[in-house]
Structure formats: C-alpha cells, structure tokens
Amino acid sequence: MKNGKKKKWSDYLWIAELCYLCLGLFNILFAWLGMLFFSIPLLIAIFGGSKAYCNRYCGRGQLLGLLGEKLKLSRNVPPPAFLRSPWFRYGFLTFFMVMFCLMLFSTYRVFTGSPLSQTVTLLWVFKLPWQWADVSFVSPWMGQFAFGFFGVMLTSTVLGFVTMVLFRPRSWCVYCPMGTMTQGICRLRNGRKAKEDGRTCEKDCGTAEAVGE
C-alpha cells in the first residue's frame, strides 16, 4: 500500500458524512443523527483534552480531503490569512451559535403551538421547500428541529465545499465552529498542565492553522 500505511477504520468515516447527507434528503428526521457530530467532539475535548475528533475522526474533513486531493477538485492554494485570524474564527463561531439558538427558538415556538415550517434554510437566507418530508408520525417540534438542524449541517457543508474548491481541501477546518470550540476547550483544560510539562496546547490538540496547511 502507498507509503506502507495500512488503512484504519477511522479512515472511512467520510462515508458516514456522505450517508448522513443522503439520509437527510431521504427522510428529514435523520437530521437528528447530526447531534452526534456536535456532541462527540465536545465530549472528547472536555474529557480527553484533545482535538482527536478533528484530527482523526471528522468525516467531513475526510470527505473534503478526498474530493480535493484525490479527485483534484481543489485549487490547493493557501487560504487567506483572515480565515486563520482569531477575530474571524471566534466571530464566525459567535454568529453560528446565534443562528443555532434562533433555530432552537423556532423549535420551541412549534413546541408551544406555532405551526410547523417545512423548509430547510440554506446559508441562513434561502428557504428551500421540503414539503415531501413526512414528519406526521412524530411531534411537530421534533420535525421542526430536524428541518432547522439539517439546514445548519447543509449550510456548513456548502461552505466547506466552497472553501475546498477555492483554497486547500480542508480549508473549512481552519474556521469550523466546532473546531474553534474544541480548541478553546482544549486550551482551557490543558493550558496549565501544558505549561508545567513544557508543552503547548497547540501541540497536544492541533491548531486551526496547522489543519489548513
């Protein structure tokens, strides 16, 4: 095998990312599975003190790498410096979390009696009709959450594809909100220990800059 490296099971997690997107198109309720992509990285960072998920287990990162490197869909040029800057990464994380909270508020409104909106919002602006999705067999708020959450996941995927094409394959990882959050958790958790051991959190947990290179 090339470079003598044997493939591990974790090298095929891009399939999980692809299946998630396809299942969401087939049945919007599969969007709930995306909560795993949110919770697992945070749990690894909180209890393990590392960005192992981003570095080894992120199916989206693998998929972008596969499309950009293997299929040559990427221009493979360095991303602009502002994408790596703390102000942009934490600003984008703040914006992302505000949009996420608004999505949760929409879910709460449906829970309290507002009508279900069968649309998926792409890039926080474009509302895509999704009337073919059958969510009649679950509570309306569960359906509303699925529509909103799939919109969040689809939006981040589109942004990942755009930056993959324009820059290096995994340029999305440079400003990924989840990566920014786990990096912040990693620094808070390991900062003191890293200083005592003569190490840095960047070495233990990886950095956005390193991933984008």
Side-chain angles (χ1 to χ4, degrees):
M1 189 169 290
K2 187 177 180 180
N3 298 329
K5 293 181 66 175
K6 185 177 180 181
K7 288 284 188 179
K8 300 178 181 178
W9 65 269
S10 56
D11 295 323
Y12 298 98
L13 289 175
W14 62 270
I15 298 176
E17 178 72 19
L18 197 59
C19 286
Y20 174 77
L21 295 173
C22 292
L23 288 172
L25 294 174
F26 173 73
N27 190 321
I28 196 66
L29 292 177
F30 280 110
W32 278 86
L33 293 176
M35 288 301 296
L36 294 173
F37 301 145
F38 266 53
S39 59
I40 292 176
L42 294 177
L43 291 174
I44 291 176
I46 293 170
F47 296 104
S50 75
K51 288 187 65 177
Y53 182 89
C54 294
N55 296 332
R56 292 193 293 272
Y57 306 121
C58 179
R60 177 175 296 168
Q62 291 180 11
L63 181 61
L64 294 173
L66 181 67
L67 294 175
E69 296 169 9
K70 301 296 184 182
L71 300 184
K72 307 297 182 184
L73 297 181
S74 173
R75 293 174 62 232
N76 200 29
V77 298
F82 78 86
L83 285 183
R84 302 190 185 99
S85 64
W87 69 265
F88 181 85
R89 289 189 290 114
Y90 285 99
F92 184 71
L93 170 61
T94 301
F95 173 76
F96 192 90
M97 292 307 298
V98 168
M99 293 296 103
F100 186 78
C101 288
L102 289 176
M103 183 269 290
L104 293 179
F105 180 68
S106 297
T107 302
Y108 172 76
R109 290 185 61 191
V110 173
F111 178 76
T112 56
S114 295
L116 172 68
S117 175
Q118 288 191 245
T119 59
V120 170
T121 304
L122 182 64
L123 297 174
W124 302 289
V125 175
F126 307 103
K127 293 187 179 296
L128 308 179
W130 223 266
Q131 277 77 16
W132 69 82
D134 182 15
V135 295
S136 59
F137 54 93
V138 297
S139 297
W141 72 268
M142 296 182 68
Q144 187 64 60
F145 180 87
F147 284 113
F149 195 73
F150 193 68
V152 170
M153 298 297 286
L154 199 58
T155 291
S156 56
T157 300
V158 169
L159 291 175
F161 281 137
V162 170
T163 48
M164 178 269 293
V165 172
L166 295 177
F167 311 116
R168 285 179 175 158
R170 295 188 62 172
S171 292
W172 161 253
C173 301
V174 171
Y175 65 102
C176 169
M178 185 57 61
T180 302
M181 277 195 290
T182 54
Q183 186 175 22
I185 293 171
C186 171
R187 283 177 171 168
L188 289 174
R189 188 183 188 279
N190 295 346
R192 181 177 299 177
K193 180 180 179 181
K195 290 180 180 179
E196 292 174 353
D197 294 345
R199 297 179 280 108
T200 64
C201 187
E202 284 82 357
K203 182 177 178 181
D204 289 342
C205 308
T207 63
E209 291 84 350
V211 173
E213 293 177 352

